[in-house]
Amino acid sequence: LAGKVVSGIPEDDPRNPATIADNVGDNVGDVAGMGSDLFGSFGEATCAALVIAAQSHDLVSAGWDTLIFPLYISSVGILVCIATSFVATDFRPVRSEASIEEVLKTQLTLSTVGMTVAMFPVCAMFMPQEFYLGPKSFASACVEGVSTSKCVTMGPMSTFCCIAAGLWGGLIIGFVTEYYTSHSYSPVREVARSTETGAATNIIYGLALGYKSTIIPVGILAGIVFVAFSLMDMYGVALAALGMLGTLSTCLAIDVYGPICDNAGGIAEMAEMPETVREKTDALDAAGNTTAAIGKGFAIGSACLVGLALFGAFVTRAGLNLASVSLVSPLIFASLIFGAMIPYWFSAMTMKSVGQAANEMVKEVARQFREIPGLLEGTPGHAPPDHAKCIAISTDASLREMIAPAVLVMTTPLLFGIFLGVDAVAGLLAGAISSSIQMAISASNTGGAWDNAKKYVEKGSVVIDGVVQRKGSELHKAAVVGDTVGDPLKDTSGPALNILMKLMAIISLVFADFFMSINNGQGYFNIPRRVF
């Protein structure tokens, strides 16, 4: 905003006091933030699987190796990713600009194939043939005539199918995300060409792309949940989440590649290196934007499954049955509608916070341009810009503005559980998870598409009436507006919804016993259970 839109100078121009804050932001957002998010998903998926397994008489009786089987999934994943890392570094490295994305995608595919092959013998080694996912034994609970997904008859194969569903579902979601965010494909190119008629049509096309991009990932997630739940109840969903995260080492490496290239481009611009250097870093950055979007796709998909797995652990811990969490219960249905609204409230807070911090930053940059003689003009010998002040603005804003959204996410399930009971919490979580997944995918892909549409224009790939459109053209200005709007969507609101899904569920699980202690789980209002 401060450079390209307000002052009309390049994005990473050394005269702009906010450039260092931008580079720092890439690190804390796309490296530390996304890494923490995915690490949290791994820990919480493992926690959910272990909680559910610990409630099973048969899995506990089968021995320690069977009980801690979820940890074997992550262990095997680390070894497989270490082995496949040599493909990109030694056997098939990047040799041209066109092969950047192909090499990175090959790495992710090989990790998925390797993980699939490695998990089959591990499942056969540690999982019993028959078990019941509950306090009873298989022999007493799964009598003739009883049909429930808690009765597992082909343990090793069912376990493998759940893990494989998560693995390959995650890969497909990643590639679909790439299709909608890479300027190698038609959706982003359509968004880039829409800038011919101004920023408004660019915004419209970008939003439409984001909404459309939810169709296949949500369909895949629904299929994974259906298969996993049918085979092994909520334990299967937790294993599917761990399967999707099985290639996390490779996925995270590919994701972090993006901000590294982005910062390299910024350093090249600030150091006033030749234009050819910036062209190369822009090519790497464009591929990095796509790989970062693939990482976000994995993060969102796994967060959905982790949220569901934690929801299953909460239902197990609270002792809820089919009747008590029925959609025809007015309390459940009302809580579900309220829960579906929470992501919108949360996103409104985070988006506005970014806008306020950006406004403060733009004013600070304008002040420095105004008060430091020769800074904007680039006069030789001018005083250096005050980068520390801009970094302090973004850091202070991020910490200050985090409080209200965090309070919303943490107190909502607590208040529902204390006053309305565990049934209401179940409805709240179902609504929040189902709504968050749509919003997160849409926001992430919309922002990624606008970013790469801008880079597609900057490459000179858009030709209007025989004139090549590049930096400084009216098309580029319209593309910059879309990119600016997309940044808080893909870097703040979208990824933050992953935390919302998981945090609400984990808090509900932790406080499940406390909720049950209040009027036998019906809350202080003691609302009787009834159906429409």
Side-chain angles (χ1 to χ4, degrees):
L1 273 173
K4 294 181 292 185
V5 178
V6 177
S7 304
I9 60 177
E11 181 176 2
D12 295 300
D13 194 290
R15 293 171 289 174
N16 189 342
T19 50
I20 301 298
D22 180 27
N23 288 345
V24 173
D26 286 335
N27 276 306
V28 297
D30 288 338
V31 180
M34 186 57 68
S36 301
D37 181 13
L38 287 163
F39 176 77
S41 292
F42 224 140
E44 287 155 3
T46 305
C47 170
L50 291 172
V51 167
I52 297 170
Q55 310 297 318
S56 169
H57 173 271
D58 290 332
L59 291 182
V60 172
S61 301
W64 184 246
D65 286 337
T66 301
L67 188 62
I68 64 164
F69 176 78
L71 296 175
Y72 288 125
I73 301 174
S74 50
S75 304
V76 171
I78 292 169
L79 296 175
V80 167
C81 291
I82 289 173
T84 56
S85 67
F86 294 105
V87 175
T89 57
D90 296 280
F91 299 107
R92 198 185 176 193
V94 175
R95 302 190 187 279
S96 65
E97 180 183 326
S99 67
I100 298 171
E101 289 184 21
E102 182 186 342
V103 169
L104 293 170
K105 288 191 295 183
T106 301
Q107 180 79 3
L108 193 55
T109 305
L110 287 174
S111 297
T112 304
V113 171
M115 186 69 179
T116 306
V117 173
M119 281 312 301
F120 189 81
V122 175
C123 293
M125 195 180 304
F126 296 115
M127 294 304 290
Q129 190 66 29
E130 295 180 338
F131 55 91
Y132 176 69
L133 292 165
K136 299 179 182 179
S137 66
F138 181 87
S140 61
C142 304
V143 295
E144 190 175 347
V146 174
S147 178
T148 171
S149 55
K150 290 180 180 290
C151 295
V152 182
T153 54
M154 297 176 63
M157 182 55 71
S158 297
T159 304
F160 174 75
C161 288
C162 292
I163 296 169
L167 266 171
W168 288 93
L171 183 69
I172 296 169
I173 289 172
F175 286 167
V176 169
T177 303
E178 184 223 10
Y179 173 75
Y180 280 105
T181 57
S182 170
H183 60 49
S184 301
Y185 304 103
S186 59
V188 171
R189 294 184 178 187
E190 284 182 2
V191 174
R193 293 190 187 98
S194 72
T195 56
E196 180 185 359
T197 50
T201 47
N202 183 30
I203 300 294
I204 292 168
Y205 269 69
L207 289 172
L209 179 148
Y211 296 149
K212 189 176 179 181
S213 70
T214 63
I215 298 170
I216 297 175
V218 170
I220 290 169
L221 286 169
I224 292 171
V225 171
F226 180 81
V227 169
F229 192 90
S230 299
L231 290 173
M232 301 180 72
D233 205 78
M234 276 298 183
Y235 187 60
V237 176
L239 293 182
L242 284 169
M244 187 175 288
L245 291 163
T247 55
L248 178 62
S249 302
T250 298
C251 183
L252 198 55
I254 289 174
D255 179 61
V256 171
Y257 165 89
I260 291 173
C261 296
D262 193 0
N263 278 358
I267 292 168
E269 183 79 43
M270 286 185 281
E272 299 179 346
M273 297 179 77
E275 188 65 27
T276 53
V277 176
R278 184 68 210 224
E279 287 174 5
K280 287 183 173 65
T281 59
D282 279 348
L284 294 169
D285 186 21
N289 276 334
T290 302
T291 58
I294 291 174
K296 287 184 176 74
F298 264 88
I300 294 165
S302 62
C304 173
L305 294 179
V306 169
L308 281 171
L310 291 168
F311 172 73
F314 167 75
V315 169
T316 302
R317 191 72 182 167
L320 295 175
N321 54 36
L322 190 61
S324 60
V325 289
S326 171
L327 276 179
V328 295
S329 161
L331 179 62
I332 295 283
F333 199 78
S335 301
L336 188 145
I337 294 173
F338 190 89
M341 175 275 299
I342 293 293
Y344 290 88
W345 188 356
F346 180 83
S347 296
M349 287 175 154
T350 54
M351 290 286 286
K352 188 175 180 182
S353 297
V354 171
Q356 288 173 337
N359 193 28
E360 200 175 335
M361 184 86 75
V362 170
K363 288 180 179 178
E364 171 60 24
V365 172
R367 182 195 67 79
Q368 293 193 34
F369 281 152
R370 187 174 60 252
E371 296 180 5
I372 300 177
L375 177 59
L376 180 58
E377 296 79 11
T379 306
H382 66 74
D386 186 359
H387 297 112
K389 179 66 175 174
C390 292
I391 295 171
I393 288 172
S394 57
T395 304
D396 292 344
S398 65
L399 294 172
R400 183 180 64 249
E401 299 294 334
M402 178 181 69
I403 296 171
V407 169
L408 172 67
V409 173
M410 291 190 286
T411 58
T412 304
L414 288 176
L415 292 174
F416 266 65
I418 292 168
F419 292 103
L420 300 175
V422 290
D423 295 8
V425 175
L428 178 79
L429 293 178
I433 292 169
S434 59
S435 179
S436 294
I437 187 67
Q438 328 285 336
M439 285 193 70
I441 294 172
S442 174
S444 178
N445 290 348
T446 295
W450 275 327
D451 196 342
N452 274 348
K454 179 202 69 176
K455 285 182 168 56
Y456 190 65
V457 173
E458 290 174 346
K459 277 180 63 179
S461 301
V462 178
V463 181
I464 304 296
D465 296 330
V467 179
V468 177
Q469 306 294 320
R470 293 186 182 274
K471 288 183 179 180
S473 65
E474 290 302 314
L475 261 78
H476 183 247
K477 291 177 183 177
V480 166
V481 172
D483 178 34
T484 307
V485 174
D487 277 342
L489 287 172
K490 71 180 175 67
D491 294 330
T492 305
S493 293
L497 288 169
N498 300 345
I499 311 297
L500 182 145
M501 284 186 267
K502 296 180 293 186
L503 188 55
M504 287 183 70
I506 196 77
I507 286 175
S508 301
L509 173 60
V510 169
F511 285 91
D513 290 343
F514 171 63
F515 298 154
M516 288 300 295
S517 69
I518 303 172
N519 286 327
N520 197 29
Q522 292 185 256
Y524 280 124
F525 292 165
N526 202 15
I527 299 175
R529 285 173 174 159
R530 59 176 182 266
V531 296
F532 287 119

